[in-house]
């Protein structure tokens, strides 16, 4: 079985994540290809698409949201994702049990004695009028019947039990607004796809294909880390005749689509600025293809990162129109120049062309000294 080293996996990931070459795709097609973008920080998907698409116009993504072609909803890993509407409708039933269990894992004691089917029915009655409500508002409407858990717990559980979406202006470019929910079917004017027959898993197989197209080659543990679902090995087994297999340097079995891109490991990789919680990092159990184990916690903590030669090499932030880059290792002159150039473009994007200021730190021993380019 062919062994793919870390660099080969890195270049495959970059190619499929649209980070090796910016793509000439409409934003809707890019969101679909990527299997959604993690979006609990509402403005981060705009940065994610700016890093991946030529001439990205953020107002186009905002329009897709307000015109209901994309939605913000809790799905993979019970995190908020920005997804195309068709995927949200098709994938939600397959995630129902996971969403329920993840909230129970946090609040099992508070929800002891609460019949979740009754809670779901009561919550559905609350939101049936189509009026947008915050999570605490939904909880407060239920607390008279179940006083012990409190409105916060009841609201979180209700949003996990019912397919719901967060409404604009939440997630619109440069807009601010709290998370307000309505039923996904009411917002889209279409019903959630029904669960499939027992013993079949066409949605699971679709998720495998879509994941590999955007993240492969990968192990089933990586697939599970992306979606949070435990039952997909059966789907993988059912698809074995249409997949190819490899091993990584750690000996893990990797699966992939036969015709998916696997670029030459020597392919140059440009500097890319990633948003907080980008799935290019979080979409794997073994993230060593793109980030050193010593820095693994950065993405979980919500740090924005910079890829240099395809790997996480710095964090970045922006304040008052200035992008500040804090390296995790010493940059060569060529690296610093490339980071500065890309940082200037990012600063222009984030400031509507009012600023292209960048400050790149220089690592000195265990410290960091900021230097202007």
């Amino acid at each position: 079985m062919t062994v793919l080293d870390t660099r080969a996996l890195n270049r495959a990931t970059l190619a499929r994540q649209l980070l090796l070459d910016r793509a000439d795709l409409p934003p809707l097609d890019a969101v679909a290809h990527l299997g959604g973008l993690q979006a609990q920080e509402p403005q981060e998907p705009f940065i994610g698409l700016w890093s991946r698409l030529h001439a990205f116009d953020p107002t186009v993504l905002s329009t897709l949201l307000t015109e209901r072609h994309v939605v913000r909803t809790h799905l993979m890993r019970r995190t908020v994702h920005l997804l195309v509407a068709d995927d949200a409708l098709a994938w939600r039933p397959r995630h129902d049990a996971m969403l329920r269990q993840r909230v129970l894992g946090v609040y099992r004691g508070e929800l002891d004695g609460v019949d979740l089917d009754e809670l779901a029915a009561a919550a559905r009655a609350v939101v049936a009028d189509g009026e947008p409500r915050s999570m605490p508002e939904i909880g407060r409407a239920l607390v008279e019947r179940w006083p012990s858990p409190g409105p916060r717990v009841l609201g979180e559980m209700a949003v996990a039990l019912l397919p719901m979406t967060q409404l604009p202006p939440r997630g619109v470019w440069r807009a601010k607004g709290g998370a307000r929910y309505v039923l996904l079917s009411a917002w889209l004017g279409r019903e959630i796809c029904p669960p499939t027959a027992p013993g079949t898993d066409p949605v699971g197989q679709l998720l495998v294909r879509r994941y590999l197209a955007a993240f492969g080659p990968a192990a089933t543990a990586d697939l599970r880390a992306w979606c949070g679902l435990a039952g997909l090995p059966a789907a993988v087994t059912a698809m074995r005749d249409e997949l190819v297999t490899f091993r990584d340097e750690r000996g893990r079995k990797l699966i992939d689509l036969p015709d998916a891109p696997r670029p030459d490991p020597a392919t140059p990789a440009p500097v890319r600025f990633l948003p907080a919680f980008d799935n290019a990092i979080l979409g794997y159990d073994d993230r060593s293809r793109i980030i050193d184990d010593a820095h693994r916690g950065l993405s979980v903590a919500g740090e924005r990162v910079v890829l240099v030669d395809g790997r996480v090499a710095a964090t970045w932030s922006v304040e008052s129109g200035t992008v500040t880059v804090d390296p995790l290792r010493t940059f060569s002159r060529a690296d610093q120049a490339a980071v500065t150039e890309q940082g200037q473009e990012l600063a222009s994007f984030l400031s509507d062309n009012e600023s292209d200021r960048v400050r790149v730190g220089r690592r000195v021993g265990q410290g960091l000294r900021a230097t202007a380019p």
Side-chain angles (χ1 to χ4, degrees), residues 41-351:
E41 295 294 337
Q43 298 296 299
E44 299 303 295
F46 294 93
I47 300 167
L49 290 181
W50 174 83
S51 291
R52 290 170 163 93
L53 301 180
H54 285 295
F56 171 63
D57 180 353
T59 63
V60 173
L61 183 60
S62 292
T63 299
L64 290 173
L65 185 64
T66 57
E67 294 187 352
R68 313 185 190 200
H69 299 294
V70 300
V71 294
R72 292 172 50 84
T73 188
H74 289 85
L75 202 67
M76 285 79 80
R77 308 186 298 276
R78 202 179 77 88
T79 53
V80 177
H81 272 69
L82 185 73
L83 296 126
V84 299
D86 287 346
D87 287 346
L89 291 168
W91 295 358
R92 171 59 201 238
R94 189 63 178 81
H95 289 75
D96 279 350
M98 178 272 293
L99 293 168
R100 175 184 295 215
Q101 289 303 315
R102 291 214 171 189
V103 179
L104 275 178
V106 178
Y107 298 122
R108 190 173 300 277
E110 291 90 335
L111 291 165
D112 184 41
V114 176
D115 185 303
L116 296 185
D117 291 335
E118 291 182 10
L119 177 59
R124 186 175 291 276
V126 168
V127 301
D129 60 4
E131 185 69 23
R133 291 176 173 84
S134 68
M135 197 180 289
E137 286 172 338
I138 296 170
R140 284 195 291 272
L142 299 167
V143 78
E144 183 175 347
R145 183 168 177 183
W146 292 282
S148 295
R152 175 181 175 180
V153 175
L154 292 171
E156 281 198 43
M157 194 73 241
V159 170
L161 291 170
L162 300 180
M164 305 191 79
T165 184
Q166 295 181 358
L167 297 191
R170 185 77 166 176
V172 170
W173 179 239
R174 301 204 186 289
K176 294 183 179 180
R180 293 154 55 248
Y181 294 85
V182 297
L183 289 170
L184 184 61
S185 57
W187 177 247
L188 296 179
R190 291 183 282 162
E191 291 301 317
I192 304 294
C193 297
T196 54
T200 66
D201 193 8
V203 177
Q205 293 183 34
L206 176 61
L207 287 168
V208 172
R209 293 186 190 96
R210 295 285 293 278
Y211 175 75
L212 293 176
F215 294 87
T220 55
D222 297 317
L223 172 63
R224 184 170 60 249
W226 169 68
C227 63
L229 301 176
L232 292 182
V236 172
T237 299
M239 299 170 60
R240 59 183 176 271
D241 291 341
E242 62 180 272
L243 302 176
V244 293
T245 57
F246 304 94
R247 290 203 183 275
D248 65 13
E249 292 177 303
R250 302 185 181 194
R252 300 189 314 157
K253 179 181 175 181
L254 309 177
I255 56 174
D256 203 9
L257 303 173
D259 298 325
R262 289 180 287 275
D264 187 322
T267 304
V271 167
R272 291 288 186 257
F273 282 69
L274 296 187
F277 306 111
D278 196 286
N279 276 337
I281 301 173
L282 294 183
Y284 298 97
D285 176 59
D286 181 354
R287 300 170 187 164
S288 60
R289 68 179 66 194
I290 196 167
I291 188 170
D292 293 345
D293 286 343
H295 301 139
R296 180 184 173 102
L298 292 174
S299 55
V300 179
E303 293 279 359
R304 295 156 159 174
V305 299
V306 184
L307 303 183
V308 177
D309 192 28
R311 298 188 62 79
V312 172
T315 60
W316 70 274
S317 59
V318 61
E319 186 176 355
S320 301
T322 300
V323 170
T324 299
V325 178
D326 293 328
L328 300 170
R329 61 171 175 78
T330 302
F331 286 166
S332 67
R333 288 186 177 180
D335 289 344
Q336 176 138 338
V339 168
T340 299
E341 179 181 0
Q342 194 65 201
Q344 288 173 326
E345 293 185 20
L346 177 59
S348 295
F349 169 72
L350 294 175
S351 68

